[in-house]
Amino acid sequence: MINPALSKFDPLSRIIYYDDFDTGLNGWTALIGNYEESLDSILPGFRDLRPPMLSSSAFWDTGSAGSCDGTYAMKLATRPQAGSLSVGIKRMTYRHKGPLRLEAYFTFKPEAEKLRLSDTDAGSIGFLFDLQDDTHRVMPHLRYLNAHDGQRVQRWQFKQERVAIRDIGATGETVSHFHLSDEGWEDVPDGNQRLCYNEIATKQNWHYLRIGFDLDTMAFTEFQCNDRAFDVSGIAPMVMPAMPNLWCMLNAAFWSQAGSDRRTLLHVDSVVLSGEF
Amino acid sequence: MLRSSHTAVVERNIWWEGEWSTEPYEAAWATRAVAFVRVLERRNIAVDATLRVQISPDGIHWCDEGNVLNVSADKDISFARVSQFGGWLRLTGVLGPEQGLKVVVYLALQG
């Protein structure tokens, strides 16, 4: 029997979660940087990550579009400031060190407050895992850089470069590192991809995303967007020594980043994380 | 069926100075909301400050809904109740030139 909602996904043998956002945010929540005693101790880049919301994609000219599957999607909306980030994160732990597959349908747009094409005003959208085994914290990062400084880029990038880990507060128990900074991104080999932006800012098309990562080898196994499967042999995650209190961590996060002083809106619906165990 | 609920932190540890609006929050699924303002610090605040509840059809164009949230001059938490607000909510207000309120703003939504 075909399940119409799941049929557009190709999960591995066990589904860890399947979130379609029609009954809530399903554990996808706002990200905040680590702090001690005062919120002022948060690293600057982590202080104002905008929270997720449930959106029916209500546009000023055509009304509600609904989501890819049902009425609501998870929306990540930046502030109308270049560089502003919005992040939705779901926090799990893993029970088996084996293959993972993250699948999602997504669409992104600049806010439609101007009556022009605006395709170079949406900055970037991205996805990361945040994982830890007995020895290492491993953070695979991928983003689609749509535009930079008003210029069309349309290229997938990954990030393995680490930034310095900073002490937060005075107890020595809390650290932080701003891994979402705009620096250190490298191009995915042959990673240019023209996604369907459509012809005005209120017409959105949904795209398929698949990211495979193996918790045993801590390496990418696959990466696909729509009809393009990319060679993952040349891409690597961020790796650092294991940290206290993060054992068996299996976090997943999506984000959007404004490319100009306009809001960038990322919609995600649905998300399936599956594993082989 | 249990009622759906969600608490959104729409502003956090941020100074309200001069003309100010919270970021738009889309919540067409919800039928009612309580907006809370928690004050972390005050600068030259002697009387209650006022935030107006605003609604919007599209998250871009805004009008006053009619409710106001009086941010207490001496209490840590203030609130306002809103219902039948359509799809979008925000709060907006103005402080004087030397005034400031460092706030956390919540929307406790139910649908």
Side-chain angles (χ1 to χ4, degrees), chain A residues 25 32 39-40 46-47 49-58 60 72 75 78-80 111-113 263, chain B residues 1 4 6 9-14 21 23-29 40-41 57-61 88 102 104:
Chain A
L25 282 167
I32 188 170
L39 293 176
D40 294 335
F46 276 131
R47 286 178 189 167
L49 304 176
R50 303 304 308 165
M53 55 191 106
L54 292 171
S55 169
S56 56
S57 290
W60 72 269
Y72 296 108
K75 181 175 79 172
T78 69
R79 284 190 192 274
E111 190 171 51
E113 83 283 14
R263 294 182 179 88
Chain B
M1 195 74 166
S4 293
H6 182 76
V9 178
V10 292
E11 302 289 349
R12 181 183 56 234
N13 202 37
I14 195 163
S21 299
E23 277 291 287
Y25 202 81
E26 185 174 357
W29 61 270
L40 304 178
E41 290 184 48
D58 52 19
I60 300 169
H61 306 93
W88 298 80
K102 194 179 200 182
V104 184

Side-chain angles (χ1 to χ4, degrees), chain A residues 43-50 76-87 120-126 143 145 147-150 159 178-183 185 255-265, chain B residues 23:
Chain A
L43 294 180
F46 276 131
R47 286 178 189 167
D48 191 28
L49 304 176
R50 303 304 308 165
L76 300 172
T78 69
R79 284 190 192 274
Q81 297 166 2
S84 172
L85 283 157
S86 177
V87 183
T120 57
D121 284 328
S124 63
I125 56 99
R143 75 172 183 180
L145 182 60
H148 188 70
D149 287 339
K159 189 173 187 177
F178 185 53
H179 51 89
L180 289 172
S181 69
D182 215 23
E183 293 78 42
W185 291 93
W255 74 87
S256 59
Q257 184 165 37
S260 66
D261 289 342
R262 299 178 64 182
R263 294 182 179 88
T264 289
L265 316 175
Chain B
E23 277 291 287

Side-chain angles (χ1 to χ4, degrees), chain A residues 24 38 44 48 52 57 71 74 77 112 117 149 159 164-165 168 173 188 211 230 249-250 269 274 277:
Chain A
S38 165
D48 191 28
S57 290
T71 301
M74 175 173 69
L117 182 63
D149 287 339
K159 189 173 187 177
I165 295 171
I168 300 293
E173 294 181 326
V188 169
I211 296 166
F230 299 92
M249 183 165 67
L250 169 46
D269 181 58
S274 58
F277 58 96

Side-chain angles (χ1 to χ4, degrees), chain B residues 15-18 42-49 94-102:
Chain B
W15 280 101
W16 164 18
E17 295 167 326
R42 293 177 173 82
R43 195 165 60 224
N44 299 318
I45 299 292
V47 297
D48 291 1
V94 184
L95 290 180
E98 303 301 322
Q99 293 183 306
L101 284 165
K102 194 179 200 182

